[in-house]
Amino acid sequence: MKSDAVKVGMQQAPHRSLLRALGMTDEEMKKPLVGIVSSYNEIVPGHMNLDKIVQAVKLGVAMAGGTPVMFPAIAVCDGIAMGHVGMKYSLVTRDLIADSTEAMAMAHQFDALVMVPNCDKNVPGLLMAAARVNVPTVFVSGGPMLAGHVKGEKRSLSSMFEAVGSYAAGTMTEEDVREFENKVCPTCGSCSGMYTANSMNCLTEVLGMGLKGNGTIPAVYSERIQLAKHAGMKVMELLEKNIRPRDIMTEKAFLNAMTVDMALGCSTNSMLHLPAIAHEAGVDLNLDIANEISAKTPNLCHLAPAGHTYIEELNEAGGVYAVMNELNKKGLLYTDIITATGKTVGENIAGCVNKNPNVIRPVENPYSQTGGIAILKGNLAPNTAVVKRSAVCDEMLVHEGPARVFECEEDAIAAIKGGKIVAGDVVVIRYEGPKGGPGMREMLNPTSAIAGMGLGSSVALITDGRFSGASRGASIGHVCPEAAVGGPIALVEEGDLIKINIPENKLELAVSDEELAKRKAAWTPREPKITTGYLARYAALVTDSSRGAVLEVK
């Protein structure tokens, strides 16, 4: 056993003395040491129940003959961090989580791991760590929040942000906003739509690292506790069979994840996280393949914010495996690869029927014949830009309009709420990329303000930052190269015509090459916004968004 390095032999007597200081017995030391990585904290609603999940996992490990040992991982609530300096610290935690988990796992020589994440950066950060450490590992999340109910309709966090925009537009009263505030987030759990947290938890099932239901069983269901116990038991089976994350997270598994991503209509943040996780697993996942996959993958789900169904309804309809089974009717998945269940993808999804065609469209009757995410390119985004196509209204799939240019998120919000943005405009927010932010902030506040002001079907937003999974509309992010390194988005001037054609995957600035070259020659880099601490180190090491914004020593 790997843990013998801290348990067995005379040289390890000092190590054992410290284990005894924990109250560990000889019997426990003879068993495999299983690290339980707990993301529990008291500030993230998706994590406030993880202490219960961890206890259930520990029971499962112990029942199956292991010795469970918990250690922590951090997590940021993107909703609470939204719209202020705190959002600069969101994406960057993905690497802190991966690094600290790697350090703990290697320093203490755990034989296996059970990861207990739930929210946005926590899931990909722990998947990155799992690929690095490469000991048998299972994921079990805290589960999604139930949808709220306001005025007889199901609602979620995106409704809350849009309510603030409606208040600014004068179409909603303060009392209306207060009712939303009190009702849209009714339970613990990751926010109830197909936002980033639930996107990544669902994709954990597809990657083969989580058990059936990990992405969809609501946080408050007792079934979630049962799932956690099974995860604890299952990791012992994986240890016995020596099935490791890099055996599971192969190139085929990542292609499956991208395919199901398109069918579910996941958050655009998946286009940051999947390449980053793949990088740690030794797989080169080039985003250029995304449009190829999208072209042959039907979009089967319109979960909030793209539609009016929620994760709880996806769960009732059969969950992620039911979506995979639909896709498999068209032969779109690799079904011969191993997963954390100890079985292949094909064995996992066999017999998982679609119980509600109104939630999961049959492959014969999709929302669209192409996937929920599109990668755009053009002279404004030579590398990539990303849009959640399934959350864009038909009239904005093709759009031309004048650029309204802002150097940061705050200035754009002030203009939107101040009534300075009008139908037809293309809002450009730059210097918010991985380096320029630094930290690549999410732009849920401006997109929600646009929707709340009644401009969602007539105004586009383009940024080198990114979007919350709760954003909807013609919200085009991850524009790359970013402004901070002199990408074309830095050269856009007020009033320039911008052409968006999502069906053709194009994002163009209607300015001649000669004029762009002239502007580039006159461009000078900006002084860094932050020059000390973790964000400064992050800005120095981070790569561009098309590579997943991974850290790289130059």
Side-chain angles (χ1 to χ4, degrees):
M1 287 187 291
K2 187 174 183 178
S3 62
D4 286 352
V6 299
K7 297 187 306 185
V8 176
M10 187 55 65
Q11 284 295 112
Q12 278 64 44
H15 306 68
R16 289 194 299 274
S17 72
L18 292 167
L19 294 176
R20 292 186 194 284
L22 297 169
M24 198 173 288
T25 64
D26 286 334
E27 291 82 357
E28 287 173 299
M29 287 190 220
K30 290 175 183 176
K31 297 175 181 179
L33 288 185
V34 180
I36 316 299
V37 186
S38 171
S39 305
Y40 170 77
N41 64 46
E42 294 183 338
I43 188 63
V44 184
H47 292 222
M48 63 180 282
N49 65 322
L50 295 190
D51 55 340
K52 309 295 188 300
I53 302 295
V54 167
Q55 288 304 314
V57 171
K58 290 172 76 172
L59 276 172
V61 168
M63 284 191 290
T67 297
V69 182
M70 185 277 290
F71 64 89
I74 65 166
V76 162
C77 177
D78 279 19
I80 296 173
M82 195 71 65
H84 56 87
V85 69
M87 182 44 71
K88 294 180 184 290
Y89 287 88
S90 170
L91 178 60
V92 305
T93 63
R94 187 185 71 183
D95 296 274
L96 281 176
I97 291 161
D99 292 349
S100 59
T101 302
E102 174 195 1
M104 288 292 287
M106 297 303 294
H108 302 102
Q109 292 292 286
F110 288 105
D111 296 299
L113 297 169
V114 180
M115 306 294 198
V116 187
N118 210 26
C119 291
D120 301 53
K121 309 309 152 321
N122 211 238
V123 183
L126 290 180
L127 283 165
M128 291 163 70
R132 287 186 201 170
V133 178
N134 203 35
V135 297
T137 303
V138 174
F139 275 66
V140 56
S141 77
M145 185 183 291
L146 294 178
H149 291 80
V150 184
K151 300 186 188 303
E153 293 185 19
K154 284 190 174 182
R155 297 288 189 171
S156 59
L157 183 66
S158 53
S159 308
M160 184 70 253
F161 278 90
E162 290 177 14
V164 174
S166 297
Y167 175 76
T171 58
M172 191 174 281
T173 67
E174 185 174 348
E175 290 74 20
D176 290 332
V177 175
R178 180 62 62 88
E179 184 177 4
F180 272 78
E181 180 184 331
N182 288 329
K183 294 181 178 179
V184 296
C185 297
T187 73
C188 63
S190 48
C191 296
S192 56
M194 187 53 83
Y195 310 148
T196 305
N198 291 327
S199 294
M200 294 311 302
N201 278 320
C202 287
L203 294 182
T204 300
E205 287 190 55
V206 187
L207 281 171
M209 294 298 293
L211 305 184
K212 181 175 184 273
N214 182 57
T216 60
I217 298 169
V220 295
Y221 283 15
S222 299
E223 188 182 357
R224 176 64 56 178
I225 301 296
Q226 295 167 354
L227 180 72
K229 292 175 183 175
H230 284 132
M233 290 185 268
K234 186 59 69 174
V235 80
M236 297 304 296
E237 180 185 325
L238 296 182
L239 179 59
E240 182 182 351
K241 295 178 178 178
N242 195 29
I243 298 173
R244 300 168 181 249
R246 288 195 177 203
D247 300 324
I248 295 169
M249 290 193 286
T250 61
E251 182 178 10
K252 288 181 178 179
F254 283 103
L255 294 177
N256 278 353
M258 215 170 240
T259 298
V260 178
D261 188 326
M262 296 298 175
L264 285 172
C266 289
S267 164
T268 51
N269 282 314
S270 63
M271 294 295 106
L272 274 177
H273 299 321
L274 286 175
I277 300 160
H279 174 76
E280 299 293 351
V283 174
D284 182 17
L285 190 66
N286 191 318
L287 284 186
D288 287 342
I289 201 170
N291 285 339
E292 295 177 32
I293 292 174
S294 179
K296 61 184 180 183
T297 306
N299 178 229
L300 305 182
C301 298
H302 268 192
L303 297 147
H308 300 289
T309 53
Y310 295 81
I311 301 298
E312 63 197 66
E313 288 158 306
L314 176 61
N315 185 63
E316 292 161 9
V320 175
Y321 279 14
V323 174
M324 294 174 74
N325 208 22
E326 285 288 343
L327 294 173
N328 198 40
K329 293 175 183 177
K330 293 187 69 174
L332 294 174
L333 298 176
Y334 295 97
T335 58
D336 59 343
I337 53 177
I338 197 67
T339 71
T341 66
K343 299 177 181 178
T344 65
V345 168
E347 291 172 319
N348 285 343
I349 66 176
C352 293
V353 299
N354 179 359
K355 299 174 184 176
N356 189 341
N358 294 318
V359 176
I360 305 170
R361 288 276 188 96
V363 287
E364 301 84 8
N365 181 35
Y367 283 102
S368 65
Q369 293 294 340
T370 53
I373 290 178
I375 305 298
L376 311 184
K377 289 191 176 185
N379 68 346
L380 187 50
N383 290 4
T384 54
V386 182
V387 64
K388 187 170 182 175
R389 171 166 41 195
S390 60
V392 180
C393 61
D394 290 344
E395 51 266 47
M396 289 299 290
L397 290 171
V398 178
H399 179 76
E400 293 184 10
R404 304 299 309 280
V405 182
F406 302 94
E407 310 300 326
C408 66
E409 176 189 5
E410 288 84 356
D411 291 350
I413 292 170
I416 296 164
K417 291 186 175 178
K420 296 178 181 178
I421 301 302
V422 299
D425 283 349
V426 178
V427 175
V428 176
I429 306 177
R430 60 193 180 192
Y431 293 98
E432 291 284 8
K435 285 185 178 293
M440 202 178 184
R441 286 195 289 182
E442 290 183 341
M443 301 291 154
L444 179 57
N445 272 351
T447 59
S448 298
I450 287 170
M453 297 286 285
L455 297 170
S457 59
S458 59
V459 169
L461 192 153
I462 296 172
T463 181
D464 53 6
R466 60 195 180 94
F467 295 107
S468 165
S471 289
R472 62 187 176 99
S475 304
I476 299 168
H478 308 198
V479 170
C480 183
E482 63 175 291
V485 299
I489 192 171
L491 312 178
V492 180
E493 295 182 357
E494 186 79 8
D496 283 349
L497 183 67
I498 292 177
K499 298 181 178 182
I500 301 164
N501 192 320
I502 295 173
E504 295 184 6
N505 304 310
K506 291 181 180 178
L507 181 61
E508 299 282 349
L509 182 65
V511 172
S512 69
D513 292 345
E514 292 77 15
E515 174 62 19
L516 282 177
K518 179 181 174 182
R519 294 181 188 180
K520 182 63 183 285
W523 178 83
T524 55
R526 295 186 165 219
E527 289 296 316
K529 295 176 184 175
I530 294 175
T531 57
T532 60
Y534 178 55
L535 287 180
R537 296 198 303 276
Y538 181 88
L541 297 174
V542 70
T543 61
D544 65 54
S545 57
S546 68
R547 296 179 55 195
V550 297
L551 301 188
E552 190 171 79
V553 177
K554 303 295 188 291

